[in-house]
Amino acid sequence: MTQDELKQKVAQAAMAYVQGVPVIGVGTGSTVKYFINYLAEMKSQIEGTVSSSEGTTKLLKEAGIPVLDLNDAGIIEVYVDGADEINPNKQLIKGGGAALTREKIIAAASKKFVCIADGSKRVDVLGSFPLPIEVIPMARSNVARAMEELGGRPVWRESCVTDNGNHIVDVHGLHITDPVKMEQTINNITGVVAVGIFAMRPADICLVSDGEQIITF
Ligand code: 5RP
């Protein structure tokens, strides 16, 4: 199976978790794109969705699926999103698509976070995927220096301005053995808006497509 077929397969498996759920949180990325296609098939049963990016909002609206403001939606029953890396504790690296801040907000506001990914995203230790950090633009160099002190190699994602008008620094070379501690440490650097470690609020359920099989943990 190709990676796209694996993404599609796991997106379909996520549909079992959103049956009868009135308001669904929707993440960002190529795996979620397939999920939105499946959601469109059951849109008459959905009251609304809360979107994690302008890109996802566009796709949802094009599919005729209502999009609500999180402030009006209240607590979200289920949030479905992809990941760049998943460790055995369901802790994640996210933000490859630069939507990490809104993704983190929706994850925090959700009762159940269902993470969907193809098997290539599973790792024992987070950090091979460069860690995205959303920063206030004027703080970029300062955050980069702080990340060098933590042993990383920060690279400015130059072509990228986030939906919130901020910059992304991707930090290479980290070996994140204590994701909660690293998340807290990076959160404390002045100028950081959000770091793409989802450890303090990990996924609740991970669905991973591995060939014909869906692994759930
Ligand atoms: C976007 C994300 C995505 O969930 C992550 O990058 C995975 O994307 P894809 O499904 O395209 O592999 O965190 O900010």
Side-chain angles (χ1 to χ4, degrees), residues 177-204:
T177 50
D178 187 343
V180 168
K181 190 167 169 214
M182 185 64 105
E183 184 176 4
Q184 288 168 337
T185 301
I186 298 173
N187 278 344
N188 277 337
I189 302 170
T190 304
V192 167
V193 176
V195 55
I197 301 175
F198 285 54
M200 290 191 283
R201 199 285 178 246
D204 297 301

Side-chain angles (χ1 to χ4, degrees), residues 145-163:
R145 278 191 291 274
M147 289 311 302
E148 277 170 352
E149 278 173 26
L150 290 171
R153 195 164 41 81
V155 177
W156 176 22
R157 205 185 293 180
E158 284 199 53
S159 54
C160 176
V161 175
T162 70
D163 289 346

Side-chain angles (χ1 to χ4, degrees), residues 134 151 167:
E134 180 164 354
H167 289 176

Side-chain angles (χ1 to χ4, degrees), residues 147-148 151-155 169-174:
M147 289 311 302
E148 277 170 352
R153 195 164 41 81
V155 177
V169 174
D170 293 306
V171 185
H172 297 246
L174 294 173

Side-chain angles (χ1 to χ4, degrees), residues 21-93:
V21 175
V23 179
I24 301 163
V26 184
T28 296
S30 53
T31 315
V32 165
K33 237 184 213 179
Y34 288 115
F35 175 68
I36 293 171
N37 292 342
Y38 287 114
L39 266 191
E41 292 172 10
M42 58 165 274
K43 64 183 169 195
S44 60
Q45 297 160 48
I46 307 171
E47 210 174 279
T49 55
V50 173
S51 165
S52 61
S53 64
E54 300 300 330
T56 288
T57 299
K58 184 167 179 283
L59 292 174
L60 288 166
K61 287 187 172 165
E62 280 169 2
I65 301 170
V67 180
L68 308 174
D69 186 312
L70 178 61
N71 293 303
D72 300 324
I75 291 175
I76 311 291
E77 289 293 325
V78 181
Y79 173 46
V80 177
D81 198 357
D84 298 302
E85 281 188 349
I86 306 175
N87 77 10
N89 296 323
K90 296 178 258 201
Q91 297 166 320
L92 317 169
I93 285 185

